[in-house]
Amino acid sequence: MCADKLDKREVIMETALSLFSEKGYEGTSIRDIAQKAEVNLAMINYYFGSKEKLFEAIVEERINKLQVKFDELENDKTLNEIEKIDLIIEYYVDRFFSNPDFHKVMEQEMLVSNRHELHQILIESINKKINFFSKTIEKGIRKKIFKKVDAPLLFATIVGTINQVLKSKSVCCLFIVKNTETDFDPYIDEHFRKRLVTHIQQIVHSSLLNSETK
């Protein structure tokens, strides 16, 4: 696929994601996407076939990118278990902060579950990541580095904390960042990103590490 075609495809996907986040999937039409992306309807149909297939393409592309990171991490023999857990936290904060529209849309999709195939794609992706997280913790427990913990719930704690921060930019600015400047965006602020990563890592370390390994 040539660069120009790839660019058009990416423009359509980014535009659709922005509109899905703003108006919801049901409230966004193919015509809305075409108009904002400055392409014709035929081009969207050519690349994706339908709004639902466009949505699936957006989801699959983004979850696959994160899965590549997890696969690399799983195969990395130079890192110990707590280093891998720390990197998982960094990956999630970076991905959520760099794609807030996507994660807002995914949260809505998981709540309504109107599209069975897409829902199954999301469930499978989440399951893979929880399994890797749990296996990493189990290895640490066997080595007596980690305490026995409920790994799936600890994973939910990580993701839930990030989701709560992303839920409302204004609430995040007012109560967490305490910055009321109208043009301030906490999700692109490096200091806040590091603060959140460190906070979640501290929670996880406290839950996981035996006293002699802290």
Side-chain angles (χ1 to χ4, degrees):
M1 189 178 291
C2 73
D4 185 52
K5 288 183 177 179
L6 186 62
D7 289 345
K8 284 293 185 184
R9 188 175 185 274
E10 287 296 322
V11 166
I12 292 167
M13 293 172 74
E14 290 298 331
T15 301
L17 182 57
S18 175
L19 287 170
F20 292 157
S21 175
E22 179 187 342
K23 302 169 66 174
Y25 175 85
E26 306 297 346
T28 302
S29 68
I30 285 286
R31 192 172 296 278
D32 292 333
I33 298 167
Q35 184 174 1
K36 188 169 181 180
E38 298 181 345
V39 300
N40 55 46
L41 293 172
M43 182 173 285
I44 296 178
N45 287 328
Y46 172 75
Y47 284 129
F48 304 102
S50 68
K51 185 174 74 167
E52 186 160 338
K53 290 299 181 183
L54 167 57
F55 195 9
E56 287 179 14
I58 293 168
V59 172
E60 287 181 334
E61 181 184 90
R62 280 156 179 76
I63 64 176
N64 286 343
K65 284 181 180 177
L66 186 57
Q67 188 60 48
V68 168
K69 287 281 192 182
F70 270 70
D71 291 343
E72 290 173 353
L73 194 57
E74 186 170 11
N75 295 322
D76 193 330
K77 307 301 182 185
T78 67
L79 300 171
N80 63 32
E81 285 69 31
I82 194 61
E83 288 171 332
K84 288 187 177 185
I85 297 296
D86 281 347
L87 281 174
I88 288 171
I89 293 166
E90 286 190 40
Y91 289 165
Y92 265 89
V93 172
D94 286 345
R95 293 297 292 178
F96 278 48
F97 273 31
S98 62
N99 298 277
D101 285 347
F102 175 70
H103 294 288
K104 179 181 176 182
V105 172
M106 289 306 95
E107 189 174 10
Q108 294 167 350
E109 187 62 26
M110 291 299 290
L111 286 172
V112 297
S113 303
N114 286 336
R115 283 154 286 282
H116 177 72
E117 286 187 20
L118 184 57
H119 191 73
Q120 288 305 117
I121 291 169
L122 291 172
I123 291 296
E124 183 180 345
S125 171
I126 294 167
N127 186 49
K128 283 181 181 178
K129 292 169 180 63
I130 292 176
N131 283 342
F132 170 60
F133 184 82
S134 298
K135 286 177 183 176
T136 303
I137 288 178
E138 286 165 10
K139 286 181 183 177
I141 292 171
R142 288 198 299 271
K143 293 180 180 179
K144 303 189 184 303
I145 299 169
F146 295 162
K147 296 179 282 189
K148 290 184 179 179
V149 297
D150 190 322
L153 277 180
L154 190 58
F155 183 86
T157 298
I158 294 168
V159 176
T161 301
I162 304 168
N163 270 331
Q164 184 61 40
V165 168
L166 283 173
K167 192 162 287 187
S168 168
K169 185 186 291 186
S170 58
V171 170
C172 179
C173 286
L174 186 61
F175 297 107
I176 302 175
V177 184
K178 299 189 183 302
N179 187 321
T180 56
E181 296 175 17
T182 55
D183 61 346
F184 179 74
D185 185 346
Y187 309 134
I188 61 173
D189 182 73
E190 182 61 16
H191 175 75
F192 180 58
R193 188 199 70 81
K194 288 181 179 177
R195 177 185 162 197
L196 181 60
V197 168
T198 300
H199 172 71
I200 298 173
Q201 287 174 343
Q202 287 173 341
I203 291 172
V204 172
H205 285 204
S206 178
S207 298
L208 277 180
L209 292 176
N210 283 314
S211 56
E212 62 268 23
T213 59
K214 289 184 180 179

